[in-house]
Amino acid sequence: MPHLVILYTGNLDAMTDMPALCRTLCDAMLTVTDETGAQVYPTGGTRVLAYPAAHWAVADGGAAGRAAGGSGDYGFMYLNIRMAKGRSDAVKQQAGQAVLAALKAHVAPLIEREHVGFTLQIDEGQEVFDAKHSSLHPLFAKA
C-alpha cells in the first residue's frame, strides 16, 4: 500500500496517454514526504492501476457539450488513493495536492478541448485483514 486506482470512461483512452498518466502519478506519489522529511509512500509498495469502463453514462449524454460547440463525448475519471492509517492531516493534504498537480499538468491539453470531470479521493485503510506477499520491497530496502 498505497494504491492509486483510477476508474475512467473508456473514451479517454483515445484522448490521453493513460500509461504515461499512471507513471506520472506514481512518480508524484513518490515525492511526498512527511514532517520529518521521510518518504510517505514506500517505493516498493506504491502502485497506480487504471481501469477503463466498457460502458458509461455521464451527465446529460452530451447535449450541453454539443450546444457549447464540443463533441458531447464527455469523459470522467475517478482516482482513489488508499493508504494505511497513521499520517497527519497535513501529509494527506500534501499528498492529495501533489497528485492533483500532476494530474492537472497531464490533462491540461485534454481539458482545453473536451468536457471531462475528475474526482480525487484519499481513503485511509480500515483494515480487517491485511496480508502482503512480495519480492518488490527488498529491491528498495535501505542497506
Side-chain angles (χ1 to χ4, degrees):
M1 190 134 12
H3 302 152
L4 168 53
V5 176
I6 305 169
L7 305 174
Y8 64 96
T9 54
N11 60 338
L12 293 181
D13 277 323
M15 297 180 191
T16 193
D17 185 343
M18 291 303 293
L21 175 61
C22 291
R23 181 74 262 157
T24 295
L25 297 179
C26 190
D27 290 344
M29 291 172 69
L30 295 175
T31 68
V32 179
T33 57
D34 66 14
E35 294 87 352
T36 69
Q39 185 175 347
V40 170
Y41 299 129
T43 303
T46 302
R47 290 124 167 93
V48 177
L49 309 166
Y51 300 95
H55 310 283
W56 65 89
V58 178
D60 66 355
R66 287 187 295 278
S71 68
D73 193 18
Y74 301 147
F76 180 74
M77 190 179 297
Y78 172 74
L79 302 93
N80 179 260
I81 299 174
R82 187 160 173 87
M83 58 191 239
K85 286 186 173 188
R87 281 131 183 144
S88 70
D89 288 342
V91 167
K92 289 181 270 189
Q93 191 75 13
Q94 177 190 347
Q97 292 299 332
V99 171
L100 185 61
L103 172 68
K104 285 181 174 182
H106 179 88
V107 301
L110 175 60
I111 287 283
E112 289 179 15
R113 66 180 191 274
E114 300 292 341
H115 296 103
V116 185
F118 302 90
T119 297
L120 169 63
Q121 293 182 326
I122 297 178
D123 296 331
E124 285 185 306
Q126 190 69 12
E127 295 163 359
V128 175
F129 177 79
D130 181 30
K132 294 172 178 57
H133 179 69
S134 173
S135 60
L136 284 171
H137 287 281
L139 291 173
F140 306 102
K142 301 210 187 302

